[in-house]
């Protein structure tokens, strides 16, 4: 089994400080959070940024500032979000790719999200994918449902996304598949062997999905974007606390955690 890559989704677009005051929203807070997560075992930071009012933003300047501040503190892989917040224009979602980050998320289908629709039209998915190719940004393919996974595999066959690709299974959003263990097994079964995958369980699914992914040989994403709780009714103290729990779980299950350099190698970031 490969070493375990831990990603932390530190901020997100929808989580608020009211839900958890430990949510990092400014570039300084994000750099501090990324540093703590790295010390706790994370090698990838999935990054959204906020404006001065704390509202979700796709501002290129704000991404640049956060990335630079994170870089000064630790060597993590920064994966920017091209998902943004529900309702964000596709132009704004694509704009930070111009910064040529090492990785970016690529959502491959539309899905209900809360009371709204997270819109990802095929032409926009393909447009973002081609931009990533042009800028040599490695996509992480975000899938919330089986249909999105099957569509992504078609994109891979057509050469629109890399072959093999790295996938993120996001389970438990409420409108895609839930975090039941059979769902993760089935998603992983659908992937060609040379593709890699990470799993993110939303809300109460975060811990069980992480444990299952460690055992199955996948990788793990945790963080306040997906879940603000440590346990039922108890808020997480920080992103790093959630990362630390995964590192400890991996140690108990005797699955070594990857360093940033090892993660980079495993995700083909050195040979894009
Ligand atoms: N904020 C969600 C609607 C991504 O980062 O690529 C989408 C999202 C996915 O967070
Ligand atoms: Zn995100």
């Amino acid at each position: 089994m490969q070493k375990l890559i831990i990603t932390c989704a530190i901020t997100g677009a929808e989580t608020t400080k009211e839900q958890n005051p430990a949510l990092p929203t400014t570039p300084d807070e994000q750099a501090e959070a990324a540093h703590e997560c790295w010390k706790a075992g994370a090698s990838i930071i999935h990054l959204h940024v906020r404006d001065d009012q704390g509202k979700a933003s796709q501002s290129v300047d704000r991404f640049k500032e956060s990335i630079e501040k994170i870089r000064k503190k630790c060597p993590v892989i920064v994966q920017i979000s091209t998902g943004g917040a529900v309702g964000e224009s596709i132009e704004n979602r694509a704009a930070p790719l111009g910064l040529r980050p090492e990785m970016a998320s690529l959502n491959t289908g539309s899905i209900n999200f809360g009371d709204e629709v997270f819109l990802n039209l095929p032409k926009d998915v393909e447009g973002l994918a081609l931009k990533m190719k042009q800028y040599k940004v490695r996509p992480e393919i975000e899938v919330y449902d089986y249909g999105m996974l099957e569509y992504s595999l078609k994109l891979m066959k057509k050469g629109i996304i890399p072959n093999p690709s790295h996938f993120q299974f996001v389970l438990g959003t409420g409108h895609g598949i839930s975090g039941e263990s059979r769902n993760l097994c089935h998603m992983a079964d659908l992937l060609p062997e040379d593709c890699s995958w990470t799993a993110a369980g939303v809300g109460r699914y975060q811990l069980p999905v992480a444990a299952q992914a460690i055992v199955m040989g996948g990788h793990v994403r945790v963080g306040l974007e997906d879940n603000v709780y440590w346990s039922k009714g108890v808020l997480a103290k920080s992103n790093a606390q959630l990362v630390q729990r995964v590192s400890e779980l991996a140690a108990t299950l005797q699955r070594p955690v990857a360093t940033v350099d090892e993660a980079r190698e495993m995700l083909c970031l050195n040979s894009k």
Side-chain angles (χ1 to χ4, degrees), residues 13-14 46 48 81 83-84 86 105 107 113 118 142 144 225:
E14 283 79 21
H46 171 76
H48 289 253
S81 170
V86 172
S105 60
N107 297 267
F113 204 92
F118 178 35
E142 316 285 310
Y144 306 76
E225 170 169 346

Coordinates of all heavy atoms in Angstrom, one line a residue, residues 13-14 46 48 81 83-84 86 105 107 113 118 142 144 225, ligand 1:
A13 N -15.9 27.5 1.2 CA -16.6 28.7 0.8 C -17.8 28.9 1.6 O -18.3 30.1 1.6 CB -16.9 28.6 -0.7
E14 N -18.3 27.9 2.2 CA -19.6 28.0 2.9 C -19.5 28.1 4.4 O -20.4 28.6 5.1 CB -20.5 26.9 2.4 CG -21.2 27.0 1.1 CD -20.2 26.7 -0.1 OE1 -19.2 25.9 0.2 OE2 -20.4 27.1 -1.2
H46 N -6.1 22.3 0.6 CA -7.1 22.6 -0.4 C -7.6 24.0 0.0 O -8.1 24.2 1.1 CB -8.3 21.6 -0.3 CG -9.5 22.0 -1.1 ND1 -9.5 21.9 -2.5 CD2 -10.7 22.5 -0.7 CE1 -10.7 22.4 -2.9 NE2 -11.4 22.7 -1.8
H48 N -9.5 27.7 -0.4 CA -10.5 28.8 -0.8 C -10.0 30.0 -0.1 O -9.4 30.0 0.9 CB -11.9 28.5 -0.3 CG -12.6 27.3 -0.9 ND1 -13.6 27.5 -1.8 CD2 -12.4 26.0 -0.8 CE1 -14.0 26.3 -2.2 NE2 -13.3 25.4 -1.6
S81 N -9.0 26.0 -5.1 CA -10.4 25.6 -5.5 C -10.8 26.3 -6.8 O -10.6 27.6 -6.9 CB -11.4 26.0 -4.4 OG -12.7 25.8 -4.9
G83 N -13.8 25.5 -7.6 CA -15.3 25.3 -7.4 C -15.9 26.6 -6.8 O -17.0 27.0 -7.2
G84 N -15.1 27.2 -6.0 CA -15.6 28.5 -5.4 C -16.8 28.3 -4.6 O -17.1 27.2 -4.1
V86 N -21.1 28.4 -4.4 CA -22.2 28.1 -5.3 C -22.6 29.5 -5.9 O -22.7 30.5 -5.1 CB -23.4 27.6 -4.5 CG1 -24.6 27.5 -5.3 CG2 -23.1 26.2 -4.0
S105 N -8.7 22.0 -7.8 CA -9.8 21.1 -7.9 C -10.6 21.3 -9.2 O -10.6 22.4 -9.7 CB -10.8 21.4 -6.7 OG -11.2 22.7 -6.8
N107 N -14.3 20.1 -10.6 CA -15.6 19.5 -10.3 C -16.3 19.1 -11.6 O -16.4 19.9 -12.5 CB -16.5 20.5 -9.5 CG -16.0 20.8 -8.2 OD1 -16.3 20.2 -7.2 ND2 -15.1 21.8 -8.2
F113 N -26.8 21.7 -3.9 CA -25.9 22.0 -2.8 C -26.7 22.9 -1.9 O -27.0 24.0 -2.2 CB -24.7 22.7 -3.4 CG -23.4 22.5 -2.5 CD1 -22.5 21.5 -2.8 CD2 -23.2 23.4 -1.5 CE1 -21.4 21.3 -2.0 CE2 -22.0 23.3 -0.7 CZ -21.1 22.2 -1.0
F118 N -25.1 23.6 -7.5 CA -23.6 23.9 -7.8 C -23.5 23.5 -9.3 O -23.4 22.3 -9.6 CB -22.8 23.0 -6.9 CG -21.3 23.1 -7.1 CD1 -20.7 24.3 -7.5 CD2 -20.5 22.0 -6.9 CE1 -19.3 24.4 -7.6 CE2 -19.1 22.1 -7.0 CZ -18.5 23.3 -7.4
E142 N -13.0 16.2 -8.5 CA -13.9 16.1 -7.4 C -15.2 15.5 -7.9 O -15.9 15.9 -8.8 CB -14.3 17.5 -6.9 CG -13.1 18.5 -6.8 CD -12.3 18.2 -5.6 OE1 -12.8 18.1 -4.5 OE2 -11.0 18.1 -5.7
Y144 N -19.0 13.6 -6.6 CA -19.9 13.5 -5.5 C -20.9 12.4 -5.7 O -21.8 12.2 -4.9 CB -20.7 14.9 -5.3 CG -19.8 16.1 -5.2 CD1 -19.2 16.6 -6.4 CD2 -19.6 16.7 -4.0 CE1 -18.4 17.7 -6.3 CE2 -18.8 17.8 -3.9 CZ -18.2 18.3 -5.0 OH -17.4 19.5 -4.9
E225 N -13.7 22.9 6.2 CA -14.6 23.1 5.0 C -15.7 22.0 5.0 O -16.8 22.3 4.6 CB -13.8 23.0 3.7 CG -14.7 22.9 2.4 CD -14.0 23.1 1.1 OE1 -12.8 23.5 1.1 OE2 -14.6 22.8 0.1
Ligands
LIG1 N1 -18.0 25.3 -2.3 C1 -18.6 24.1 -3.0 C2 -19.9 24.5 -3.7 C3 -14.1 22.8 -4.7 O1 -13.5 23.4 -3.9 O2 -13.7 22.5 -5.8 C4 -17.6 23.6 -4.0 C5 -16.3 23.2 -3.5 C6 -15.5 22.3 -4.4 O3 -15.8 23.6 -2.5

